Amino acid sequence: MTERLTLVRPDDWHIHLRDGAALQQTVADVARTFGRAIIMPNLVPPVKNAAQAGEYRERILAQRPAGSAFEPLMVLYLTDQTSPDDIRAAKACGYVYAAKLYPAGATTNSDSGVTLIDNIFAVLETMAEVGLPLLVHGEVTTADIDVFDREKVFIDLHLRRVIERFPTLKVVFEHITTADAVAFVREAPANVGATITAHHLLYNRNHMLVGGIRPHFFCLPILKRNTHQQALLEAATSGNPKFFLGTDSAPHAKHAKEAACGCAGCYTAYAAIELYAEAFEQMNALDKLEGFASFFGPDFYGLPRHSDTITLVREDWQAPASLPFGDQQVIPLRAGETLRWKLLDGGVA
Ligand SMILES: NC(=O)N[C@@H](CC(=O)O)C(=O)O
Ligand SMILES: [Zn+2]
Ligand SMILES: [Zn+2]
């Protein structure tokens, strides 16, 4: 049995750090392991242009722990009003690495998202031209479509035609949750990739709903049945470079999750690589973790791989029951339970 695992330093290609006082914990947690992270722009109000991305980036950098070289890769939030000039300015600023499509109403803070993808075709054209990847929350939002089917219907109604119409646009299908999405990405051209979260690899909807409703497993896209979980595990451990690490770590205060109408999002950043190691170990595929976590993301974005490493050891430890979240608390995924892998201090081998 593997007892020690050294990886080239990984990156997180999808994370929510939030803002204000929350950054103290969220930035420390991501910087502990990851060299870079794609920072989701769904703040209130959202990060809509290069100037706002630059200000947010400064707030993140101000919370970076001493000695850390963590680099936040900023993202624009697309709205019906985003213009080709906004895209050109974002590309030119040097710290924006992608733009994010939230279908209006699909998820947390998506109210000002795009109401119809066709409204932003001129923007997508410019993104393809300047080489700015499109990140997609791939779910339809119409009331007639069941919440468990929203990802598949989004592929059929929207993603397929966007990819055909913009063949040179890099597209990341974010936090995929279904066998349908795995098949779609696998068969799509090389400019289409996908991120997969640790929680969608480790859990299915039974974990959320059997024996009582567990709000800390509730995220969007929602956990699916175990056959979909299996397809995600196979994709992540396949060595196919189209699939790479994106935690979608998305903290909400305890009271906002443990509520009659609880928010969507799981907080995993405090132990992200450890959770992925568990999932890969279950598949007897720890040898595939480095490609997924450290190589395929930078290769897709056209960025250099890191040259330093982190080391994990096989050692049981207890996840914290809660963590500070500004003046509140966030309950992390697996709170109070045992984790199987531990990052060596400072990530130094
Ligand atoms: N994944 C989630 O359940 N929530 C995310 C939004 C998102 O990534 O869709 C959040 O910002 O809370
Ligand atoms: Zn999302
Ligand atoms: Zn997200």
Side-chain angles (χ1 to χ4, degrees):
M1 199 169 73
T2 310
E3 295 292 335
R4 199 180 167 92
L5 193 61
T6 295
L7 309 172
V8 163
R9 185 175 295 282
D11 302 301
D12 184 348
W13 299 95
H14 181 136
I15 193 169
H16 303 265
L17 298 181
R18 311 305 189 203
D19 206 351
L23 289 175
Q24 194 180 354
Q25 182 71 34
T26 59
V27 176
D29 280 346
V30 68
R32 186 185 64 104
T33 303
F34 296 104
R36 295 165 289 208
I38 279 280
I39 311 299
M40 287 294 139
N42 61 332
L43 304 181
V44 188
V47 178
K48 289 195 257 191
N49 56 48
Q52 290 166 348
E55 289 159 15
Y56 185 29
R57 179 171 176 272
E58 291 304 324
R59 297 196 293 278
I60 294 168
L61 289 174
Q63 295 301 326
R64 196 162 61 167
S68 166
F70 171 73
E71 199 189 337
L73 310 178
M74 309 312 291
V75 177
L76 284 201
Y77 182 115
L78 296 171
T79 72
D80 287 346
Q81 279 75 45
T82 306
S83 70
D85 281 348
D86 291 326
I87 299 299
R88 289 184 200 285
K91 181 70 185 180
C93 79
Y95 47 74
V96 171
Y97 287 80
K100 176 80 189 254
L101 168 64
Y102 290 99
T107 188
T108 307
N109 303 338
S110 61
D111 301 351
S112 31
V114 172
T115 55
L116 181 67
I117 296 175
D118 305 60
N119 294 346
I120 58 159
F121 274 5
V123 161
L124 298 184
E125 193 74 59
T126 308
M127 287 171 60
E129 183 196 318
V130 303
L132 196 72
L134 174 70
L135 315 184
V136 182
H137 180 109
E139 289 193 289
V140 294
T141 55
T142 40
D144 57 321
I145 305 296
D146 188 272
V147 69
F148 290 96
D149 297 334
R150 289 179 173 201
E151 186 173 275
K152 177 175 169 24
V153 174
F154 184 88
I155 297 170
D156 295 335
L157 289 188
H158 303 298
L159 203 50
R160 222 178 274 288
R161 66 192 175 92
V162 166
I163 279 158
E164 275 167 24
R165 184 164 176 138
F166 303 98
T168 61
L169 178 66
K170 278 190 195 176
V171 178
V172 184
F173 195 175
E174 297 289 338
H175 48 41
I176 59 169
T177 63
T178 57
D180 310 276
V182 167
F184 174 77
V185 171
R186 205 186 273 132
E187 286 152 29
N191 57 307
V192 180
T195 53
I196 305 181
T197 78
H199 45 285
H200 288 97
L201 293 175
L202 289 167
Y203 303 111
N204 60 62
R205 65 196 194 184
N206 275 7
H207 294 99
M208 179 176 58
L209 295 170
V210 173
I213 186 160
R214 289 163 216 270
H216 297 291
F217 284 102
F218 176 59
C219 64
L220 288 170
I222 198 162
L223 292 171
K224 307 296 192 296
R225 65 169 65 239
N226 61 356
T227 49
H228 292 294
Q229 178 194 6
Q230 196 58 36
L232 296 170
L233 280 165
E234 283 162 18
T237 59
S238 67
N240 183 333
K242 293 176 142 213
F243 301 103
F244 46 88
L245 186 156
T247 61
D248 193 20
S249 178
H252 292 273
K254 173 176 155 74
H255 71 84
K257 299 252 338 143
E258 298 175 5
C261 183
C263 293
C266 301
Y267 192 62
T268 52
Y270 78 105
I273 195 68
E274 295 87 338
L275 291 166
Y276 280 106
E278 252 183 54
F280 276 64
E281 186 180 31
Q282 281 171 22
M283 294 294 282
N284 274 319
L286 279 172
D287 60 320
K288 296 291 202 299
L289 183 58
E290 188 177 46
F292 176 83
S294 313
F295 296 163
F296 304 154
D299 295 354
F300 186 90
Y301 276 83
L303 294 170
R305 297 175 180 180
H306 291 291
S307 48
D308 61 334
T309 59
I310 61 163
T311 295
L312 294 165
V313 288
R314 243 298 292 140
E315 183 185 314
D316 285 352
W317 62 288
Q318 206 188 9
S322 78
L323 289 165
F325 186 58
D327 57 5
Q328 317 211 19
Q329 297 286 304
V330 59
I331 307 298
L333 198 78
R334 290 281 277 279
E337 293 176 32
T338 302
L339 297 178
R340 282 181 58 75
W341 287 90
K342 197 168 199 305
L343 187 75
L344 279 190
D345 249 0
V348 179

